[in-house]
Amino acid sequence: AKRSLRRRRKLEKETKQLIKQEELKRLHKAQAIQRQLEELEERQRALEIFGVKLERKLRGESDSGAQDETQMLHEWFELVLEKNKLMRYESELLIIAQELELEDHQSRLEQKLREKKAIDGKSMARVRMLISHSSLW
């Protein structure tokens, strides 16, 4: 019985360590995603500023010098493509972040379930012990 108890405690300890490791992995991933989102936001802002300047040139609102309109349109379309690419990447990062949140939530629920099972198991053991020591049986 003592060996069984030691094995169970050792298994519980190892399980807790694994859970902690998984939490840390998710935390590191979430931090990396947050950094990527911040970098992405900076790139989007820079593109926006460049886009506004380019749009003004195309409308003739600023000195564009002798720059070819065809070249400016080409730059405009490249800018739009890059902006769309960044938006898709942002969506992917947000989906990954949401997956991490769900994994974390699942882990917490599983931990609560394990704790409830442990409590119920201990309660049942006490009930069995009381019954076995009771004079009624």
Side-chain angles (χ1 to χ4, degrees):
K2 284 186 179 183
R3 207 177 348 185
S4 171
L5 181 61
R6 277 190 226 133
R7 245 186 276 143
R8 188 167 18 118
R9 286 183 182 163
K10 183 179 178 184
L11 183 61
E12 287 173 3
K13 183 179 177 182
E14 290 171 355
T15 303
K16 286 180 183 179
Q17 288 174 342
L18 286 174
I19 290 168
K20 192 69 171 170
Q21 287 174 354
E22 290 300 317
E23 285 177 5
L24 287 174
K25 283 181 188 178
R26 284 192 301 273
L27 177 63
H28 291 304
K29 284 181 183 180
Q31 289 171 337
I33 288 170
Q34 186 61 38
R35 281 191 302 275
Q36 290 173 337
L37 285 169
E38 289 168 2
E39 291 170 10
L40 192 67
E41 188 176 332
E42 288 177 30
R43 287 171 51 195
Q44 286 174 329
R45 264 188 255 131
L47 281 177
E48 187 70 29
I49 292 168
F50 181 70
V52 168
K53 289 178 184 178
L54 187 57
E55 195 172 329
R56 286 183 181 151
K57 285 180 185 180
L58 282 167
R59 291 182 182 165
E61 296 175 9
S62 70
D63 292 333
S64 63
Q67 191 172 11
D68 184 18
E69 186 178 347
T70 307
Q71 177 62 31
M72 286 191 293
L73 284 172
H74 178 73
E75 287 179 27
W76 173 256
F77 287 118
E78 289 292 323
L79 183 80
V80 170
L81 287 173
E82 181 67 17
K83 188 174 178 181
N84 288 339
K85 185 174 102 177
L86 292 177
M87 289 174 65
R88 281 192 307 273
Y89 184 54
E90 180 182 33
S91 294
E92 290 172 12
L93 288 174
L94 291 173
I95 289 169
I96 293 169
Q98 188 176 26
E99 287 175 351
L100 288 173
E101 286 179 23
L102 290 171
E103 287 174 9
D104 192 51
H105 184 69
Q106 178 184 2
S107 177
R108 286 192 306 265
L109 289 174
E110 288 173 349
Q111 179 62 29
K112 284 182 181 179
L113 180 62
R114 278 191 294 277
E115 290 169 2
K116 278 208 167 281
K117 284 183 176 180
I119 290 170
D120 291 345
K122 289 176 185 175
S123 297
M124 284 303 295
R126 285 188 200 121
V127 168
R128 286 187 190 116
M129 188 175 73
L130 289 172
I131 291 172
S132 67
H133 289 82
S134 170
S135 61
L136 295 174
W137 301 100

